[in-house]
């Protein structure tokens, strides 16, 4: 069964997050949809959500500590309060805007792996690398696997070209197929595609070989659109 994930980034409040999750939960129940559906709200909107087992709420980020003096960060003490056991690691905005290095990402990965978290690990090349060709693109992605245990069972990988995130631009189906095929040779876990997925293109993207689901930002923030994309995901 294909997977669908929504990354809220810095959008939605506690109130609208709760409404979104409650609405999505009812939709899954009413339509008996069993696909794994992930939602990553902002840290301020995390809570104990009473939802079906296949609706999983995760954190967009957390530091690799239980607690301590790390201003602006949250640790596992805060995640445990809400029984959050799922984390996004390596998202391009954390790498390229917030400046997380591969070394820090590796610490984070190993910390959350040791605690058995479900990790959605994101990789993807910037435009200047894509423009130099497929060999360079793959080389860039392999470097993002440095220090990352690809044998970890509780792992999902998301291939998200940086230049496709939030831009409305997506790679050709052929390019997605090539990259996914190459990554799949290295992993047995699910592989998602992310980058400008929306209601109008999700069906085509899900039909590409080795695409096990999608990770969606802006296209998923309206709950009606998200539910439509869940429906399409369920039909595959
Ligand atoms: C993302 O945040 O992971 C993402 C893919 O964003 P968008 O769908 O807006 O491109």
């Amino acid at each position: 069964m294909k997977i669908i994930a929504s990354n809220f980034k810095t959008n939605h409040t506690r109130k609208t997050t709760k409404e979104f999750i409650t609405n999505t939960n009812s939709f899954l129940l009413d339509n008996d949809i069993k696909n794994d559906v992930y939602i990553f709200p902002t840290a301020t909107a995390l809570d104990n959500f009473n939802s079906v087992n296949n609706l999983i709420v995760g954190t967009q980020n957390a530091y690799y500590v239980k607690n301590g003096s790390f201003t602006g960060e949250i640790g596992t003490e805060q995640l445990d309060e809400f029984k959050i056991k799922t984390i996004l690691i390596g998202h391009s905005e954390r790498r390229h805007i917030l400046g997380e290095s591969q070394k820090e990402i590796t610490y984070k990965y190993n910390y959350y792996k040791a605690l058995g978290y479900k990790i959605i690990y994101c990789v993807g090349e910037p435009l200047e690398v894509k423009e130099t060709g497929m060999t360079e693109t793959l080389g860039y992605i392999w470097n993002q696997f440095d220090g990352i245990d690809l044998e970890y069972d509780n792992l999902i990988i998301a291939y998200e070209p940086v230049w496709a995130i939030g831009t409305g631009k997506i790679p050709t189906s052929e390019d997605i197929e090539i990259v996914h095929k190459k990554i799949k040779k290295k992993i047995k876990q699910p592989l998602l595609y992310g980058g400008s997925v929306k209601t109008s293109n999700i069906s085509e993207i899900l039909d590409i070989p080795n695409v096990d689901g999608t990770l969606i930002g802006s296209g998923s923030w309206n709950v009606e659109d998200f539910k439509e994309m869940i429906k399409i995901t369920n039909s595959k």
Side-chain angles (χ1 to χ4, degrees):
M1 256 193 291
K2 305 248 182 196
I3 297 166
I4 180 164
S6 169
N7 175 13
F8 280 12
K9 311 192 188 193
T10 319
N11 298 280
H12 280 297
T13 60
R14 276 184 77 72
K15 182 172 179 284
T16 64
T17 297
K18 192 167 182 215
E19 287 163 2
F20 188 108
I21 291 174
T22 307
N23 192 332
T24 305
N25 191 56
S26 304
F27 178 76
L28 296 178
L29 275 174
D30 293 348
N31 295 282
D32 199 27
I33 293 177
K34 303 283 188 223
N35 301 68
D36 282 344
V37 176
Y38 291 88
I39 297 177
F40 294 90
T42 64
T44 59
L46 295 177
D47 210 334
N48 273 307
F49 294 103
N50 195 9
S51 55
V52 288
N53 287 338
N54 55 313
L55 199 175
I56 305 127
V57 177
T59 185
Q60 293 174 24
N61 182 44
Y63 204 49
Y64 35 94
V65 288
K66 178 176 179 214
N67 54 28
S69 299
F70 305 97
T71 302
E73 297 284 346
I74 58 170
T76 50
E77 186 171 282
Q78 289 75 39
L79 298 174
D80 286 348
E81 185 178 12
F82 306 126
K83 301 181 185 63
I84 306 284
K85 284 282 175 199
T86 302
I87 184 167
L88 270 184
I89 297 181
H91 191 277
S92 85
E93 286 151 15
R94 296 222 50 95
R95 291 179 189 268
H96 299 286
I97 301 177
L98 285 310
E100 262 181 37
S101 66
Q102 187 62 28
K103 197 170 159 195
E104 280 175 289
I105 288 169
T106 302
Y107 285 147
K108 198 174 279 191
Y109 185 91
N110 286 332
Y111 182 82
Y112 284 96
K113 177 189 134 190
L115 294 173
Y117 274 61
K118 169 75 76 183
I119 298 174
I120 299 194
Y121 184 70
C122 307
V123 295
E125 80 289 354
L127 188 59
E128 65 271 20
V129 173
K130 188 226 162 13
E131 282 171 345
T132 55
M134 186 54 77
T135 308
E136 289 74 12
T137 296
L138 292 170
Y140 189 91
I141 295 168
W142 300 161
N143 285 339
Q144 293 179 317
F145 287 149
D146 259 3
I148 301 299
D149 174 12
L150 295 179
E151 303 282 312
Y152 180 48
D153 278 335
N154 222 1
L155 171 66
I156 295 175
I157 305 262
Y159 169 55
E160 303 201 300
V162 180
W163 54 273
I165 296 182
T167 59
K169 294 182 194 144
I170 61 166
T172 60
S173 297
E174 291 71 30
D175 279 354
I176 296 176
E177 185 172 345
I178 292 169
V179 174
H180 274 238
K181 189 174 170 194
K182 295 279 187 189
I183 296 177
K184 271 293 207 178
K185 285 203 170 132
K186 293 186 181 280
I187 61 163
K188 56 186 182 311
Q189 302 90 334
L191 175 58
L192 314 183
Y193 168 78
S196 295
V197 176
K198 47 191 179 217
T199 50
S200 57
N201 61 17
I202 189 169
S203 177
E204 195 183 324
I205 290 167
L206 287 171
D207 286 340
I208 299 170
N210 293 312
V211 172
D212 300 314
T214 54
L215 172 56
I216 316 165
S218 46
S220 68
W221 299 335
N222 175 301
V223 74
E224 296 308 318
D225 289 345
F226 189 49
K227 288 191 294 185
E228 193 179 330
M229 290 190 281
I230 292 174
K231 212 174 195 174
I232 295 169
T233 303
N234 179 246
S235 72
K236 298 294 179 180

